[in-house]
Amino acid sequence: SRATHRTTSSGTATNSAPTLSNDERTLYVVVNNLPASGARASGRLLALDAATLAARASVALIDPLQGSAAWVNDNASSSPTVGPDGDVFIGVLEANVPSHNFRGWLLHFDATLSQIKTPGGFGWDNTASIVPREMVPQYTGTSGYLLALKYNSYGGIGTGDGQHRVAIVDPNAVQVDRFSAAQVMREVITVLGPTPSSEYPGGVEEWCINTAAVDPLTSSVLMNSEDGYLYRWHLPSNTLSERIRMNNGYAQSYTPTAIGADGRVYAVNNARLFSIGAL
């Protein structure tokens, strides 16, 4: 845990969970600093020996557009994701918010943290979910897997338009970012939130998830929205094929959605954990 009287030295980012490599020999951990008054916390991604916690590698978390330290905010629960090929993904906020509409970036490294790869166009309080390519039959690229990301666009912030989406992206293909000149992971499919925003005219309610639940059995992604519903996103048809109401919709923290070993779906809305049977 973080020391109570921490100074400018690094400590574990408060809400970021550590993640094991596929062979369980390496532990990836995000650390940040306690910045000077008026400054924002920056951070690093560490690769530790899982048995001894000795440091194997360390890389600074850098805004890919600005080339300066990204904001590693303790309010975010962004945690490292390890892909089937060992690549590591971690979400951060942009260096000079809100220059990227508070979307941040999904940074992308190889397993040794020595190679920086193409970032994703969204990273704020987001943990990527692994999607087997077979779940998206319309995909014609060469990557062995894809990523599911929250892809919100915060209305009234920079050039954000309030058109909140979730996206399936290809971690190894590129396109120009929607909101900058940066090269980012290519969008394979996206789906727009279905409910008009109660706060931003012309926008939709945002997807209030940290990480989405991937269901290969039904080729679906399950995620909850600020409108109070849990949705099934059927990837082959790119439709929100089912939904179930949890409440009337409230301002939400970004929370994970998960599928249990018994097939039940677990989602958090308005600080309540819901256990939901087959949709």
Side-chain angles (χ1 to χ4, degrees):
S1 63
R2 187 193 304 259
T4 302
H5 301 292
R6 182 164 61 89
T7 61
T8 55
S9 61
S10 293
T12 306
T14 300
N15 293 311
S16 181
T19 305
L20 281 169
S21 61
N22 296 320
D23 63 8
E24 300 185 357
R25 295 181 178 180
T26 303
L27 186 71
Y28 296 101
V29 178
V30 178
V31 297
N32 62 359
N33 56 28
L34 185 65
S37 177
R40 297 189 175 103
S42 59
R44 304 184 70 85
L45 178 62
L46 310 182
L48 308 178
D49 183 293
T52 66
L53 299 186
R56 288 180 171 172
S58 169
V59 64
L61 300 176
I62 301 296
D63 181 315
L65 186 62
Q66 302 298 324
S68 54
W71 185 7
V72 182
N73 189 319
D74 274 339
N75 289 329
S77 50
S78 313
S79 301
T81 296
V82 176
D85 57 357
D87 280 7
V88 186
F89 307 89
I90 180 64
V92 297
L93 270 171
E94 62 262 40
N96 54 344
V97 293
S99 63
H100 200 227
N101 308 330
F102 247 103
R103 288 167 58 85
W105 307 95
L106 184 74
L107 303 185
H108 180 189
F109 305 94
D110 72 345
T112 65
L113 307 186
S114 61
Q115 182 181 359
I116 300 173
K117 299 188 176 184
T118 301
F122 191 98
W124 160 236
D125 205 356
N126 181 55
T127 300
S129 299
I130 303 297
V131 177
R133 58 170 293 155
E134 294 77 14
M135 290 177 57
V136 192
Q138 61 270 49
Y139 172 66
T140 59
T142 60
S143 293
Y145 65 96
L146 306 171
L147 301 176
L149 305 179
K150 177 174 59 183
Y151 225 62
N152 288 340
S153 174
Y154 301 106
I157 299 177
T159 58
D161 55 11
Q163 301 302 297
H164 299 308
R165 301 174 183 272
V166 282
I168 302 297
V169 301
D170 183 337
N172 300 306
V174 300
Q175 69 174 60
V176 177
D177 180 39
R178 287 175 179 259
F179 300 102
S180 74
Q183 294 286 307
V184 296
M185 298 174 192
R186 180 175 296 167
E187 300 164 15
V188 178
I189 54 174
T190 70
V191 69
L192 187 67
T195 305
S197 172
S198 59
E199 297 180 355
Y200 185 78
V204 297
E205 297 289 2
E206 65 177 288
W207 296 101
C208 281
I209 52 171
N210 166 290
T211 186
V214 176
D215 182 12
L217 186 64
T218 63
S219 294
S220 300
V221 173
L222 301 164
M223 62 272 182
N224 51 302
S225 167
E226 196 168 52
D227 65 9
Y229 285 88
L230 172 73
Y231 288 89
R232 180 188 299 280
W233 180 20
H234 183 246
L235 302 184
S237 63
N238 194 24
T239 59
L240 298 174
S241 59
E242 293 182 90
R243 69 177 187 173
I244 188 168
R245 187 173 185 173
M246 293 182 285
N247 54 41
N248 291 329
Y250 302 94
Q252 289 294 310
S253 300
Y254 294 143
T255 55
T257 310
I259 301 174
D262 58 357
R264 296 190 70 82
V265 181
Y266 298 91
V268 177
N269 202 289
N270 194 33
R272 297 180 65 188
L273 176 64
F274 292 81
S275 174
I276 301 167
L279 292 181

